[in-house]
Structures are given as C-alpha cells and as structure tokens.
Amino acid sequence: DDTKQICVEIKSRPIGVRFAHFQHASQTSLSLNEFTEDSIAKDELGLKIGDKLSTINDISITDLTMTEALLLFRTQTLPFKASFTRQIHRDINTSFEFSTTYFDYETQSHTKHIPLSYETDYDEFATDQDID
C-alpha cells in the first residue's frame, strides 16, 4: 500500500463534502466520508471518499483539534490550497487502484460526519453525529 498526496485549490464554497473525524492519541484525522449531489470536491477537484485532509495553506492539521482544523478550513480567504492524502492499494494481478474509507474500530462511537456547507451554523458541527 502506498499513499498519494493530492493538492487542490479551493476557489468557492460550499465544496459539497462531509468529513469523518477520528482522534488517535493527540492527532486529528479528517477524512472525506460523503459527497453531496453536484459536489465540487468530487466533480471538479477529483477528491475521493477516504481522502484525508493533511494541510490547509501548508499548515498541517495533525496537531489541531477537530474544531480548530474545521475552523481553519472554513475561514480561509478564497482561493486557498488544501492537500489530502489518499491511500492507494495495488492489486498485483490487475494493477487496480482505489481509495478506502478510513475506519477506526476503537473510535467508532466517536465518528462524526461534519457538513462543510459554508452557510451552515458552526454549532451544527459539534452536534451533527452519525454513527455508522
């Protein structure tokens, strides 16, 4: 398995994604979990389910809390750059490449799906919880 860095420029909002939040030790992980219909992230930026947000304007989100990372993402002046890490699995027989949805069994009950619609009230991020 390999990883691939995907760098995108976000020029408008909303981009039409929901993130899944995972906390491992003191590190935050925000992975793309769902796309809205007509998602800019999917249709124009080429992002895929399972892509993990790694930097916003060259600032790593690893040591930020979920709230800090989302606030940083949502308050950037347009346009801004974001990078995502994609897990690549290679099947030797078919050279098939696909991305996976990140899932941590230890934190399953803490998984949060967070809408990033720019018009959404920030308080909804703290209360919008879907358990898969």
Side-chain angles (χ1 to χ4, degrees):
D1 293 355
D2 297 313
T3 59
K4 178 179 179 180
Q5 204 63 14
I6 313 294
C7 298
V8 298
E9 184 175 34
I10 297 172
K11 299 177 184 178
S12 64
R13 291 188 179 101
I15 65 168
V17 300
R18 296 187 118 199
F19 280 101
H21 167 248
F22 300 99
Q23 191 77 32
H24 180 57
S26 64
Q27 295 189 331
T28 293
S29 174
L30 293 173
S31 297
L32 296 180
N33 190 53
E34 184 179 337
F35 294 113
T36 61
E37 192 172 321
D38 300 324
S39 169
I40 292 170
K42 177 183 174 188
D43 299 336
E44 295 177 26
L45 301 178
L47 297 174
K48 296 181 179 183
I49 299 297
D51 288 351
K52 186 168 69 170
L53 181 63
S54 53
T55 66
I56 301 165
N57 277 339
D58 298 321
I59 299 170
S60 173
I61 69 151
T62 304
D63 295 324
L64 301 177
T65 66
M66 174 197 65
T67 302
E68 292 168 335
L70 287 172
L71 186 61
L72 182 64
F73 189 90
R74 292 184 72 234
T75 59
Q76 291 300 301
T77 302
L78 295 172
F80 69 95
K81 295 183 192 261
S83 62
F84 294 80
T85 303
R86 180 175 296 161
Q87 192 73 33
I88 303 297
H89 300 277
R90 300 201 186 277
D91 183 334
I92 297 171
N93 296 327
T94 62
S95 297
F96 183 71
E97 185 177 301
F98 61 95
S99 65
T100 61
T101 301
Y102 296 88
F103 190 77
D104 184 343
Y105 287 97
E106 291 180 10
T107 60
Q108 176 180 350
S109 62
H110 301 295
T111 300
K112 293 183 184 214
H113 301 280
I114 302 149
L116 283 182
S117 170
Y118 193 66
E119 295 78 31
T120 303
D121 234 350
Y122 188 72
D123 290 340
E124 284 186 48
F125 290 136
T127 59
D128 184 20
Q129 232 178 11
D130 297 318
I131 307 301
D132 294 326

